[in-house]
């Protein structure tokens, strides 16, 4: 189970998460950042520094943000 970045990132796109990730699993997309679930080690460092609270464990994402699970997977599947 990996962390997933959700909609608040679209308006902020701050990038602190990228700076603290110990395994470099966060990549910048056109509108927001994405976490590679195959590389993420579930350390939570990104979640702790996100200024807009856009990062959640996949099984803790608010229901209205569930579409971001698929968007995250699609981002890395199309690479």
């Amino acid at each position: 189970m990996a962390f997933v970045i959700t909609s608040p990132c679209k308006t902020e796109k701050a990038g602190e998460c990228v700076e603290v990730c110990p395994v470099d699993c966060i990549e910048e997309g056109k509108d927001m950042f994405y976490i590679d679930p195959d590389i993420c080690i579930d350390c939570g460092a990104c979640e702790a520094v996100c200024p807009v609270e856009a990062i959640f464990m996949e099984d803790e994402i608010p229901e209205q943000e569930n579409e971001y699970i698929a968007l995250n997977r699609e981002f890395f599947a199309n690479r």
Side-chain angles (χ1 to χ4, degrees):
M1 188 85 38
F3 281 87
V4 176
I5 300 175
T6 60
S7 66
C9 185
K10 283 189 166 188
T11 57
E12 181 66 28
K13 203 175 178 186
E16 286 95 331
C17 56
V18 177
E19 296 170 17
V20 300
C21 181
V23 293
D24 296 323
C25 70
I26 303 172
E27 293 189 28
E28 185 173 0
K30 181 181 176 193
D31 298 326
M32 60 184 282
F33 289 97
Y34 297 90
I35 298 174
D36 188 332
D38 293 330
I39 300 174
C40 180
I41 60 170
D42 303 331
C43 70
C46 59
E47 181 183 33
V49 299
C50 181
V52 293
E53 299 179 359
I55 304 173
F56 297 89
M57 281 295 287
E58 186 175 331
D59 63 349
E60 296 177 0
I61 292 177
E63 189 174 327
Q64 68 272 20
E65 299 286 328
N66 277 340
E67 68 183 287
Y68 286 89
I69 296 170
L71 289 172
N72 189 74
R73 288 188 183 135
E74 289 171 16
F75 179 82
F76 290 100
N78 296 324
R79 302 198 126 249

